[in-house]
Amino acid sequence: MAQGAVMNGGMFAGGLLLSCTLIAFALWLQWTERQGWPGEEYDEQRARDQLYLQRRRRSRRLVNGLIGLCGVLIGIATFAGIGRTFVAAWLCVMVVLFGVVMLALLDAFRTVRYEKDKRRDIRRESIGNDD
């Protein structure tokens, strides 16, 4: 009996720690996205940069919200204890994290396409200025 109580206490503490960590991480990511990442430079006057930044902020706000939602779901599972709610919450966490990975892949593809187009534009401008 005592060993089961220790195991449950450890699961509770671990779930609570994981929940708080995910929520704090989502808040930190959102705050950093608003402040701007170190070494990042964009020309706010260029339409391409504005459109890219607008789409990236919207996408990352969604991803950060989903990460925070995972933290909340883990907290619900932790306080509910072993049972149907626990299983349902962890299944939701699994589905949401799969969505986060897919959205992150889309964000990576968007960034690669943006960088490729930007290099092409810079190359075109530099060749045009030499004439």
Side-chain angles (χ1 to χ4, degrees):
M1 256 336 216
Q3 187 178 15
V6 171
M7 292 270 295
N8 286 339
M11 277 183 54
F12 183 81
L16 197 58
L17 180 65
L18 183 58
S19 175
C20 291
T21 301
L22 281 175
I23 292 169
F25 183 61
L27 290 172
W28 175 80
L29 282 173
Q30 187 60 32
W31 179 79
T32 306
E33 182 64 31
R34 284 180 178 252
Q35 300 299 316
W37 293 90
E40 199 175 54
E41 291 183 27
Y42 293 100
D43 185 0
E44 295 287 337
Q45 304 305 318
R46 289 186 149 184
R48 182 183 308 277
D49 286 357
Q50 285 179 338
L51 181 62
Y52 168 73
L53 288 174
Q54 181 183 23
R55 287 180 178 169
R56 186 183 82 172
R57 285 184 185 121
R58 186 174 50 233
S59 172
R60 290 187 179 176
R61 184 174 41 240
L62 176 61
V63 168
N64 297 341
L66 290 174
I67 291 171
L69 176 64
C70 285
V72 170
L73 288 169
I74 292 170
I76 290 170
T78 299
F79 283 104
I82 304 294
R84 289 182 181 173
T85 305
F86 180 87
V87 172
W90 274 104
L91 286 173
C92 289
V93 167
M94 181 186 66
V95 171
V96 170
L97 285 178
F98 180 76
V100 166
V101 170
M102 292 298 109
L103 288 171
L105 283 172
L106 289 174
D107 185 49
F109 287 132
R110 181 185 312 115
T111 300
V112 167
R113 189 177 62 223
Y114 163 77
E115 292 291 337
K116 186 178 94 178
D117 291 345
K118 187 174 181 178
R119 275 188 301 233
R120 187 184 66 231
D121 290 347
I122 291 171
R123 192 177 310 121
R124 195 176 297 146
E125 287 174 9
S126 65
I127 292 171
N129 290 339
D130 288 343
D131 290 339

